[in-house]
Amino acid sequence: MPCDDRSGRTRARVAAIATTMLFLFTLNFKCIDTENLGLDNVCILKDLHPLLIVTYKYLTMSIHTIRVPHNERLMVRCREIGKYKFIGDSLLHCRNGTWDGKTPSCVSTTAISNYTEDVPPTIDFGLPTGSAVVEPTGALAVYPGSILHLECLFARKLGNPEWTWTSTFRRYLTGWAIAARERDLKYRLSIYYAKPPDSGIYTCTTPKGLNNSIQVRVVDVQCLVLNVPEPPLISRIGGSRMGNSAVFECPVGYRLEGASRITCQYNGKWSTEMPHCEKIKCSEIIIRNNALLVLNEHNSTYGEKAIFTCMWGYKLLGSQSMTCEGDGKWNGSMPTCQKITCPVPEMPQSGRIIEQPRYTNKKQSNHGRIYKVGALVRFACQPGHQLIGEAVTICTENGTWSHDPPVCKVRCPYPGDPPHGRIAPLKFWYKPGDNIQVTCSPGYVTPLEPVKKPSCRENGIWSAPPPPCRSYKEV
Ligand SMILES: *[C@@H]1O[C@H](CO)[C@@H](O)[C@H](O)[C@H]1NC(C)=O
Ligand SMILES: *[C@@H]1O[C@H](CO)[C@@H](O)[C@H](O)[C@H]1NC(C)=O
Ligand SMILES: *[C@@H]1O[C@H](CO)[C@@H](O)[C@H](O)[C@H]1NC(C)=O
Ligand SMILES: *[C@@H]1O[C@H](CO)[C@@H](O)[C@H](O)[C@H]1NC(C)=O
Ligand SMILES: *[C@@H]1O[C@H](CO)[C@@H](O)[C@H](O)[C@H]1NC(C)=O
Ligand SMILES: *[C@@H]1O[C@H](CO)[C@@H](O)[C@H](O)[C@H]1NC(C)=O
């Protein structure tokens, strides 16, 4: 596919960025113009075996294709050393666009093939004491003094495999493992209290001549002693020799930032930095509902509780509180506040309502007025009626009126004393059917006629005015 100018430039830029990052793998350039890029003599490794692990510039990865510039080196190994036989060179050097070294690959062994005769044997290793790590080249770096068992996995019924080694330091004990589970499958070579001269290549060859090898390097590599970390980080440090690990965790309410386990590597460096504990934090509470208030001080960390309330005149809908949980989320959702209103008060018969406009708001309701908390309503009765009950009622925080509406009862009002006389009984209101009589001051009398006393009628009107008191002299 020909490259047009534009795509060529774009790719050049991508490639340049990638070069500065020092890894060009997986970027599938179809048309790199290597002259313009200054990437003359780039070496490419492609269609890599999926179990190969490539280390380039201390970066270990499992990839399909990798490109490196001239004079750079790669280290390659199989993912599970011993379980796959490594073919090719584990150290590859890019020279003028070609690899100095044989293309690597991984081949299945007996542990994969169910112990068939036609594959190389698997080599397992175990360390009853001491420690070891796998190097990027696939070599097994063993800390001096360790006991190392190399197990050649082979079906005993098919014959005896053979261990050979390159070291001339000493002879090693070889033979079938003793334990019942192992003795028909594991042909063992043991290195007791490994010393640097034990370093070398250990090969197991099957009766059919198929072999697999493991390179052992006994090296005294130590990492910097780890300081016991400050709380809250909890650690279990297993030493600082090559192969030793430290494991970390955080108490409840904290999240571990970083690796939970770090290992002292072949190069004397810890696999990564010590982690730390980060207090679990929930999102800040942002209040969008103007009437909603947070009652308590809180910092949104694990276990903290936010308690809500609504401004006066509003009621809370939803949960009154939320707790910050271990997953960094508030349990529950924010409540909302709803304006409290009272229903339109009942109008007493023969009465009326005197509105208090300050607390009412016409526009919000289809049915008339909205009565907010605190709204005050006054009742009055029509003339000829007495108000029984409370003349004033207030909209409470419960959305109910403080008092039942009053009733207006038909009553005759106190008619007033006539001149020089008094009426009895003396009351503010008289029920229908009530009569009054007039008592005149000394020297005065009521006329003999009419005989009927004024009485309160059913419509709240006196049947007659109180009779006048007249002077003796006039009668
Ligand atoms: C690399 O190739 C160039 C020309 O393609 C040549 O001049 C140079 O000598 C080569 N270098 C090596 C180390 O082979
Ligand atoms: C492995 O081989 C043994 C006999 O050699 C057979 O009994 C067993 O089923 C095989 N296992 C698998 C997973 O193929
Ligand atoms: C392992 O086998 C290969 C052939 O597959 C042979 O070239 C090599 O020499 C053998 N290695 C040992 C140590 O026997
Ligand atoms: C948050 O508040 C708790 C208790 O109120 C306190 O222990 C903690 O130190 C506070 N955290 C931060 C980051 O302020
Ligand atoms: C949130 O957690 C607290 C404390 O664990 C609990 O009391 C509360 O009921 C929970 N709320 C919800 C909505 O789950
Ligand atoms: C509101 O209602 C609660 C219970 O329903 C009651 O205890 C309280 O006294 C009421 N408050 C008012 C102001 O009516």
Side-chain angles (χ1 to χ4, degrees):
M1 193 181 86
C3 289
D4 70 72
D5 214 56
R6 232 180 90 112
S7 74
R9 264 208 307 278
T10 312
R11 291 207 166 90
R13 197 162 59 241
V14 172
I17 293 162
T19 319
T20 57
M21 290 168 75
L22 293 168
F23 34 90
L24 291 164
F25 52 91
T26 60
L27 297 171
N28 188 17
F29 305 129
K30 286 226 168 63
C31 38
I32 284 183
D33 182 348
T34 47
E35 261 172 34
N36 291 348
L37 291 173
L39 289 177
D40 225 347
N41 305 329
V42 167
C43 295
I44 303 171
L45 261 187
K46 56 184 178 185
D47 301 328
L48 286 173
H49 192 282
L51 293 168
L52 275 176
I53 291 176
V54 177
T55 303
Y56 177 48
K57 304 258 179 197
Y58 300 111
L59 202 71
T60 297
M61 57 216 153
S62 183
I63 51 170
H64 181 68
T65 302
I66 185 165
R67 293 153 198 270
V68 302
H70 172 66
N71 221 15
E72 293 289 344
R73 280 165 220 269
L74 286 184
M75 288 182 274
V76 194
R77 69 175 178 89
C78 293
R79 185 180 291 268
E80 291 173 82
I81 67 156
K83 204 163 181 183
Y84 292 89
K85 176 176 174 170
F86 182 81
I87 307 282
D89 280 306
S90 58
L91 253 165
L92 296 171
H93 191 182
C94 176
R95 310 280 304 163
N96 247 1
T98 51
W99 294 104
D100 182 355
K102 275 202 294 254
T103 311
S105 172
C106 302
V107 172
S108 301
T109 61
T110 47
I112 310 286
S113 78
N114 194 17
Y115 298 91
T116 56
E117 255 183 308
D118 53 349
V119 293
T122 301
I123 298 176
D124 247 359
F125 64 89
L127 291 126
T129 66
S131 59
V133 293
V134 176
E135 296 189 355
T137 56
L140 185 66
V142 177
Y143 193 79
S146 302
I147 295 175
L148 175 66
H149 292 320
L150 295 176
E151 320 275 14
C152 182
L153 304 190
F154 189 71
R156 190 171 185 171
K157 60 177 190 245
L158 300 175
N160 288 351
E162 189 193 2
W163 276 108
T164 53
W165 51 88
T166 56
S167 148
T168 53
F169 175 54
R170 51 174 159 166
R171 287 194 57 80
Y172 302 96
L173 213 57
T174 63
W176 291 101
I178 311 285
R181 296 185 279 116
E182 307 181 324
R183 66 172 174 229
D184 289 330
L185 292 176
K186 291 189 175 173
Y187 193 74
R188 177 175 292 172
L189 178 147
S190 298
I191 303 173
Y192 285 94
Y193 311 110
K195 292 184 179 62
D198 289 314
S199 300
I201 296 169
Y202 291 78
T203 303
C204 178
T205 307
T206 67
K208 280 207 153 183
L210 293 161
N211 66 32
N212 192 6
S213 303
I214 192 162
Q215 187 187 353
V216 172
R217 295 197 328 115
V218 180
V219 280
D220 180 358
V221 172
Q222 299 195 21
C223 290
L224 285 174
V225 175
L226 289 178
N227 291 322
V228 174
E230 300 269 315
L233 185 62
I234 302 162
S235 62
R236 225 169 50 240
I237 300 173
S240 55
R241 294 170 174 179
M242 182 181 70
N244 289 162
S245 293
V247 292
F248 302 95
E249 62 181 2
C250 294
V252 172
Y254 292 86
R255 187 182 51 239
L256 189 74
E257 285 291 314
S260 60
R261 178 188 202 95
I262 67 174
T263 303
C264 177
Q265 292 176 300
Y266 66 96
N267 56 3
K269 294 205 167 76
W270 290 100
S271 52
T272 124
E273 280 165 37
M274 235 202 264
H276 63 274
C277 294
E278 200 74 63
K279 194 148 195 189
I280 287 170
K281 229 172 151 30
C282 287
S283 56
E284 291 294 330
I285 290 176
I286 298 162
I287 290 188
R288 295 206 174 78
N289 183 325
N290 287 339
L292 188 65
L293 307 168
V294 183
L295 264 185
N296 62 326
E297 286 283 322
H298 68 93
N299 55 22
S300 299
T301 55
Y302 170 79
E304 290 259 304
K305 194 169 172 181
I307 301 169
F308 298 99
T309 191
C310 287
M311 269 164 50
W312 191 78
Y314 290 80
K315 69 168 172 253
L316 193 82
L317 296 181
S319 176
Q320 204 196 7
S321 68
M322 300 192 304
T323 306
C324 180
E325 303 221 307
D327 57 1
K329 294 202 175 95
W330 292 104
N331 78 344
S333 50
M334 286 241 272
T336 55
C337 293
Q338 195 185 53
K339 187 175 278 173
I340 298 166
T341 59
C342 286
V344 176
E346 236 176 271
M347 178 86 74
Q349 221 178 348
S350 307
R352 63 197 165 91
I353 286 172
I354 307 162
E355 300 285 357
Q356 302 287 305
R358 195 153 68 88
Y359 287 107
T360 60
N361 183 351
K362 225 168 202 164
K363 67 171 187 261
Q364 285 186 27
S365 168
N366 300 328
H367 310 294
R369 294 179 180 278
I370 289 281
Y371 295 90
K372 297 193 237 175
V373 174
L376 183 144
V377 165
R378 229 178 252 287
F379 298 93
C381 289
Q382 285 166 12
H385 292 78
Q386 184 193 1
L387 186 141
I388 297 178
E390 290 290 334
V392 169
T393 186
I394 291 173
C395 179
T396 69
E397 280 187 73
N398 285 357
T400 55
W401 293 101
S402 59
H403 299 90
D404 287 336
V407 291
C408 292
K409 286 268 169 74
V410 176
R411 293 290 186 265
C412 292
Y414 162 66
D417 288 335
H420 313 296
R422 311 190 114 191
I423 61 168
L426 183 64
K427 293 200 274 189
F428 282 112
W429 296 98
Y430 300 84
K431 289 183 190 155
D434 280 0
N435 296 311
I436 48 169
Q437 58 185 26
V438 172
T439 313
C440 294
S441 310
Y444 292 86
V445 289
T446 51
L448 294 173
E449 293 290 333
V451 201
K452 266 188 128 181
K453 297 172 190 165
S455 89
C456 181
R457 294 201 305 223
E458 286 301 328
N459 59 3
I461 294 171
W462 289 107
S463 57
C469 290
R470 299 228 177 101
S471 167
Y472 269 128
K473 294 159 198 161
E474 286 174 36
V475 177

